[in-house]
Amino acid sequence: MLPIWDKLAKAGVNTVIAPVSWEQIEPVEGQLDFSIVDGLVEDARSAGVRLVMIWFGAFKNAFSTYAPGWVRADRDRFPRADRGAKPLKTPFSYPGSMPRPSLSVFSRDLLEADRTAYTALLRHVALIDPDHTVIMVQVENEVGLLGAGRDHSALAEAAWNAPLPEQLMTAVSEAPDSFDLELVQALGANPDRSRSWADRFGDDNPIAEETFMAWGFASFVGGLAAAGKEVLPLPAYANAWIGPQRGQDLPGQYPSGGPTARMVPVWRAAAPAIDFLAPDIYVPNSAEVMRQYATDSNPLFIPEARFRAGDAFLAIGGFGGLGYNVFGVEEGREGNQFSTACSIITSLTPEIVDAQRDGRIFGFALDPDEESIRTDLVDTGITVRNSRKLLEDMLLDAGVRVPPAPELLEETVAATHGPTPGDARPFGMVLAISPTEFIVVGQGAQVDFHKLGCDVELDSVRELVMTDAGLQEGRFLNGDERLEILSDKHIRAVKVRLLITTS
């Protein structure tokens, strides 16, 4: 990390999500070593960057590869999950590959050992970080079971043959519309609360198996979070490997029991100490995923995503998001779209927070086949259009052909997972400062303002320029420059003043 901190700070990043693993701090049971934690906190503080700390404990990406060797070696004390007689093919696997361990989430000994290490970590952070360089904790990472809908180990079978948890039954009866319809119907048809999972659902019921595993994982992760907050009351969240998704239709093909969108109410009931659930987004239908998680009871936070600047504006401006993080941010090319977006968004933090609270903000990212989108802010209609297509049509009327759009530079340099193209969509956000003043940020979009019964025209458009002191007012844009308020070549920020007259 030593050569990376300055690069991150210069890229406009104000917070880094960084892991601390159980095997690093407790390589031998009972012998704790927090040197990796000390280094992370000290370097982040020196760089002026905040930390969200990930606890890679018993589970990471649905496996247990970050649990210490002494845990993985003791199969009697810490039994493995059993995928049953007909395991599913799992993502990122191949015939003949070495096994990756999956511990059983139903092991009480595993919970106690993981909790002991996790609370020790937070106790140490409380000692070395009185100024809160560490602002939040992610508990475990993309938990769930791959390869089967549910665990068939002896501990899991005992739970499967026991009555459903009383808290789950109560939560479903109090808010049935929140839960999966199939689960609600099954419970409603069998009101006897003494009946077991096995009695109610039998074998090979995907929604029952996923709910069963969700209760197990949420109870485990929520138990860690609750114990950690008694030591250091930082916000705690859990992240999701989303599912179902293309090629991963069944629980077990994606991690069964993780905080997927349809399991959110189960996690809410089982893990009240988890403050929110956060999706990792690597799929193209990002707006759909954001919509599933951005609710009144669950603020949107994106802990992992691709370099896609438009999605950052969409999350923050369109869904009230509190953060957007790309995986491997240190691999970003200097001056890439995402770092520009970060610099502008962080510079506008006070304005964004106020606008989110008051409903005065709108974020957008137009799909290739989407010509325009419309919304209303402070009683003013706003239409966002694809500026390049608009300009092509206007200039074609004058007999002028627009040259092809310039190729966008790659977002990353020598990235682990290959090159990432720039975001060619029209994207950005609009903040209403007053009924006649707006900040418009983005790329490749034309923004028009309307008001019923009034004539609305641009009174002034002023460029906002990024400096070491933040955004500062620059040139006035006039005449032809207003044909393209947001450039299709780079991200731009402007302050727009409207002249509104009655017709």
Side-chain angles (χ1 to χ4, degrees):
M1 289 294 293
L2 282 175
I4 290 171
W5 290 110
D6 285 345
K7 179 181 180 180
L8 296 178
K10 290 175 183 176
V13 172
N14 65 358
T15 306
V16 171
I17 301 180
V20 173
S21 70
W22 187 3
E23 66 177 355
Q24 286 176 315
I25 71 166
E26 196 180 13
V28 177
E29 185 171 10
Q31 297 181 20
L32 298 169
D33 177 4
F34 293 111
S35 56
I36 187 72
V37 181
D38 296 337
L40 274 175
V41 173
E42 180 181 347
D43 290 347
R45 183 186 297 127
S46 297
V49 173
R50 302 283 184 175
L51 275 176
V52 174
M53 195 169 282
I54 306 180
W55 173 240
F56 283 175
F59 302 101
K60 194 269 184 187
N61 290 40
F63 291 104
S64 302
T65 50
Y66 284 78
W70 58 268
V71 171
R72 289 179 282 117
D74 192 343
R75 296 196 178 206
D76 292 329
R77 183 178 168 196
F78 306 110
R80 304 292 177 96
D82 183 345
R83 293 173 175 82
K86 298 179 180 179
L88 299 169
K89 184 182 184 302
T90 60
F92 312 116
S93 64
Y94 55 90
S97 64
M98 296 175 67
R100 286 179 288 176
S102 296
L103 298 168
S104 176
V105 74
F106 297 95
S107 167
R108 186 72 189 178
D109 286 339
L110 180 64
L111 173 61
E112 291 178 358
D114 196 340
R115 184 172 55 202
T116 298
Y118 177 69
T119 53
L121 167 66
L122 292 189
R123 192 173 294 111
H124 183 76
V125 171
L127 287 174
I128 66 168
D129 187 33
D131 298 325
H132 294 298
T133 295
V134 181
I135 60 172
M136 196 154 59
V137 185
Q138 177 184 303
V139 189
E140 309 288 353
N141 186 82
E142 292 184 356
V143 300
L145 179 68
L146 283 174
R150 71 176 180 90
D151 182 2
H152 292 267
S153 67
L155 293 173
E157 286 296 324
W160 181 251
N161 286 287
L164 275 69
E166 188 66 28
Q167 303 100 300
L168 176 60
M169 299 288 287
T170 300
V172 173
S173 64
E174 291 178 350
D177 292 343
S178 300
F179 290 82
D180 187 273
L181 179 59
E182 184 180 344
L183 178 71
V184 174
Q185 290 175 338
L187 297 185
N190 297 294
D192 181 3
R193 297 199 173 204
S194 66
R195 299 191 67 185
S196 69
W197 295 88
D199 288 339
R200 288 180 183 275
F201 300 105
D203 294 325
D204 299 324
N205 185 312
I207 186 61
E209 292 185 336
E210 187 175 10
T211 304
F212 171 74
M213 294 305 299
W215 192 267
F217 277 106
S219 299
F220 189 103
V221 175
L224 294 187
K229 285 185 174 184
E230 292 181 4
V231 175
L232 180 62
L234 291 175
Y237 72 93
N239 68 324
W241 174 332
I242 61 173
Q245 55 180 294
R246 184 178 179 182
Q248 299 175 22
D249 302 309
L250 296 172
Q253 293 174 333
Y254 59 88
S256 182
T260 58
R262 68 178 178 178
M263 290 296 113
V264 165
V266 179
W267 273 73
R268 281 281 178 217
I274 295 293
D275 293 290
F276 56 88
L277 302 169
D280 293 345
I281 301 181
Y282 295 97
V283 293
N285 57 324
S286 52
E288 178 185 344
V289 177
M290 292 180 196
R291 190 173 293 110
Q292 291 173 333
Y293 282 85
T295 67
D296 290 341
S297 61
N298 194 78
L300 181 66
F301 181 74
I302 310 297
E304 288 184 36
R306 298 178 295 170
F307 278 85
R308 211 172 184 215
D311 281 358
F313 287 108
L314 190 62
I316 302 297
F319 293 97
L322 60 95
Y324 183 93
N325 306 268
V326 298
F327 182 85
V329 66
E330 70 277 7
E331 297 172 339
R333 172 182 55 80
E334 185 176 349
N336 68 356
Q337 283 180 318
F338 183 72
S339 65
T340 301
C342 284
S343 297
I344 293 175
I345 289 172
T346 53
S347 295
L348 289 171
T349 292
E351 291 86 353
I352 289 172
V353 171
D354 288 346
Q356 285 180 334
R357 180 195 61 219
D358 300 336
R360 295 183 285 103
I361 189 170
F362 170 60
F364 59 90
L366 299 184
D367 292 329
D369 58 348
E370 195 173 14
E371 292 190 4
S372 66
I373 188 170
R374 193 185 186 285
T375 192
D376 291 279
L377 295 180
V378 292
D379 297 324
T380 301
I382 299 172
T383 301
V384 177
R385 296 180 173 87
N386 184 321
S387 64
R388 183 167 188 85
K389 187 176 188 318
L390 199 63
L391 190 61
E392 286 174 351
D393 292 343
M394 288 191 297
L395 292 181
L396 194 60
D397 292 340
V400 178
R401 287 193 175 277
V402 178
E407 280 195 27
L408 296 171
L409 295 174
E410 299 285 351
E411 286 288 274
T412 57
V413 176
T416 305
H417 295 90
T420 301
D423 195 339
R425 298 173 298 171
F427 61 77
M429 65 183 178
V430 181
L431 289 82
I433 306 304
S434 74
T436 58
E437 190 173 67
F438 297 79
I439 292 175
V440 182
V441 184
Q443 180 171 317
Q446 180 63 26
V447 182
D448 290 292
F449 298 86
H450 322 274
K451 200 171 183 67
L452 188 64
C454 299
D455 290 329
V456 181
E457 60 188 72
L458 296 176
D459 193 25
S460 68
V461 179
R462 189 150 195 185
E463 200 173 38
L464 297 176
V465 181
M466 181 57 62
T467 70
D468 291 341
L471 284 174
Q472 302 291 324
E473 291 187 349
R475 302 175 301 156
F476 283 101
L477 303 180
N478 293 296
D480 293 345
E481 294 166 329
R482 293 184 183 177
L483 290 175
E484 191 184 35
I485 290 178
L486 298 180
S487 169
D488 67 348
K489 301 176 182 64
H490 57 83
I491 298 174
R492 174 188 276 175
V494 296
K495 182 179 289 185
V496 173
R497 187 178 298 278
L498 303 179
L499 179 64
I500 302 175
T501 57
T502 55
S503 307

